[in-house]
Amino acid sequence: MSGRAGRPGQRTGAGELLALVRSGRATTRGALQQATGLSRATVGQRLDRLFRAGWLREGAGEPVGSPLGGRPSITLEFDDAHAVVLAADLDTRHARAAVLSLTGETLAEHSGTLAVEDGPDAVLGELGCWFGRLLERTGRPAEAVCGIGLAVPGPVDSETGRVVQPPIMPGWDGYDIRGRLGRAVAERTGGTAGVPVLVDNDANLMAYGEQRAGHPDCSAFVLVKVSTGIGAGVVVEGRIYRGVDGGAGDIGHIRVPEGAGVPCRCGSSGCLAAVASGGAVARRLAQAGVPAASGSDVRDLLAAGHPEAAALAREAGRRVGDVLATVVTLLNPGVLMIAGDLAGTPFLTGVRELLYQRALPRSTAHLEVVASRLGERAALAGAGALVVEHLYAPERAEERLLALGV
């Protein structure tokens, strides 16, 4: 074999060039030649495929660095206008859906009541209706949709997109979510049912969205969502860590001493979620005569400065912080983010009290404990980003270019 045949640049396709441009590592033809070792002609040929697909566009010229002057280098940009992504975040009683640009901009959004206990067929059918109306609002055709992302409140097998023994999603275990949602969207938009559908746990997608938006340089990022239940999402080196079958991060069902004998929605008793979730705090408030039926009710009471709600949220935070001391010691994250209905000052105060008391100082020396930045839109952002990263990853991009005939 000749030395030339084995050069890394010879295996660099259009998908790899697109990845370099999207990441900002190489945004001119010259920079792409330097980064890949490809000739000017080869770079031009592969960029031409991306231009014909509508995935790249030319931007403004870069300033000329030489004192002798010369023509400015034309920059290359990912064209986020050639397609859109549909994203939805499904909670136990509420859902949010949006049409997003390929760079995450919200083009249209809707939220409303949607109960997972109504079953997957009805819920996913209704989401299809929502997406149809949202797409009409944007004026974009069904053909512009390149993918669909869905966040669900349960463990997901990422290979199949099916939830696995979800504690709070009756009737969803093993259901073909991808197929049903794809058909529902096609029926309501006039598109095809072959659009890729990616499904993941809501805490995972919240973590992915928050890490990319606010902490892109954090190599170990943990987000804990405390709402109806409690779950965690972990992002390591820019990738969601899911475990062997999607069960990573399900900390709400760790047994805690304070929960002894307290029944949990998963069918067991003594779980952290049974004593420290938004639902648990709501039950205790209701027992004390304060109207509260869910984590969202607790959130409203906390926003209004209700003293008993604040006291119970702080107590819940201490219980969660005790468990998180082990999580932090094991993973040594740079950022621990608290999100969900209880993500306010009282709860965070409780988390910090027990976390720093129980965890090793070495594990918390460089740890930031922060509240959610994206709030209710975190899972939507993560779902959209997951779809885009999947579709425009180098290998998948090559497959799609071939399918487009370019």
Side-chain angles (χ1 to χ4, degrees):
M1 180 189 298
S2 71
R4 182 175 176 80
R7 286 174 56 195
Q10 298 303 102
R11 299 189 298 273
T12 305
E16 281 80 6
L17 297 193
L18 179 65
L20 289 169
V21 173
R22 289 186 61 229
S23 68
R25 287 177 289 164
T27 58
T28 65
R29 287 170 173 79
L32 288 169
Q33 288 177 240
Q34 189 172 24
T36 63
L38 295 173
S39 69
R40 180 177 179 179
T42 303
V43 166
Q45 290 168 358
R46 294 177 184 174
L47 287 178
D48 184 58
R49 297 178 66 201
L50 298 172
F51 280 118
R52 282 187 284 146
W55 295 1
L56 279 189
R57 65 188 174 207
E58 291 187 339
E62 287 191 341
V64 178
S66 170
L68 300 177
R71 296 171 57 188
S73 299
I74 300 299
T75 59
L76 303 169
E77 301 173 351
F78 180 58
D79 190 344
D80 68 337
H82 73 270
V84 295
V85 172
L86 304 181
D89 176 19
L90 184 62
D91 209 334
T92 52
R93 299 181 181 181
H94 182 271
R96 185 178 297 272
V99 179
L100 305 175
S101 75
L102 297 181
T103 50
E105 178 188 356
T106 301
L107 306 178
E109 184 176 333
H110 173 75
S111 63
T113 301
L114 201 55
V116 293
E117 63 187 19
D118 290 341
D121 188 63
V123 169
L124 298 174
E126 183 62 18
L127 277 181
C129 294
W130 288 14
F131 281 136
R133 292 193 292 267
L134 287 170
L135 205 56
E136 287 179 5
R137 280 168 51 185
T138 67
R140 300 298 298 270
E143 294 74 24
V145 177
C146 65
I148 305 168
L150 176 64
V152 297
V156 176
D157 182 337
S158 61
E159 293 298 318
T160 65
R162 298 173 188 247
V163 292
V164 182
Q165 300 178 356
I168 58 176
M169 298 179 71
W172 290 72
D173 186 22
Y175 186 86
D176 181 16
I177 296 175
R178 289 176 176 172
R180 176 68 179 105
L181 185 55
R183 291 191 300 273
V185 171
E187 290 165 4
R188 295 297 176 176
T189 64
T192 65
V195 174
V197 179
L198 300 186
V199 185
D200 211 326
N201 171 260
D202 54 359
N204 283 348
L205 292 178
M206 290 173 72
Y208 194 54
E210 294 276 12
Q211 188 268 341
R212 290 171 60 86
H215 305 273
D217 297 325
C218 180
S219 60
F221 178 96
V222 175
L223 177 142
V224 178
K225 179 188 178 184
V226 187
S227 291
T228 301
I230 301 175
V234 180
V235 179
V236 177
E237 301 295 347
R239 295 178 177 273
I240 297 172
Y241 177 76
R242 300 181 176 89
V244 296
D245 62 3
D250 202 4
I251 66 170
H253 300 285
I254 292 174
R255 305 289 179 84
V256 294
E258 300 90 341
V262 181
C264 180
R265 294 182 66 176
C266 71
S268 297
S269 62
C271 297
L272 178 65
V275 295
S277 65
V281 172
R283 285 192 297 274
R284 293 187 63 183
L285 286 169
Q287 291 166 2
V290 179
S294 65
S296 59
D297 292 335
V298 178
R299 179 190 61 206
D300 294 340
L301 289 168
L302 290 171
H306 192 282
E308 193 160 358
L312 289 174
R314 182 168 179 171
E315 181 183 330
R318 288 172 59 85
R319 289 172 172 170
V320 173
D322 199 6
V323 171
L324 289 178
T326 300
V327 173
V328 165
T329 301
L330 177 65
L331 296 178
N332 189 209
V335 175
L336 171 62
M337 178 174 283
I338 307 298
D341 292 330
L342 298 192
T345 299
F347 188 86
L348 258 75
T349 299
V351 168
R352 290 189 176 106
E353 285 175 356
L354 261 290
L355 173 62
Y356 287 106
Q357 179 182 327
R358 298 278 197 265
L360 293 171
R362 173 70 180 82
S363 301
T364 58
H366 303 288
L367 176 68
E368 293 182 68
V369 181
V370 300
S372 170
R373 173 181 173 182
L374 299 178
E376 295 179 340
R377 291 179 173 81
L380 289 181
L386 190 72
V387 170
V388 172
E389 292 306 315
H390 169 74
L391 292 178
Y392 295 92
E395 186 174 333
R396 179 65 175 146
E398 287 289 348
E399 294 173 359
R400 294 177 64 215
L401 289 170
L402 289 172
L404 289 170
V406 298

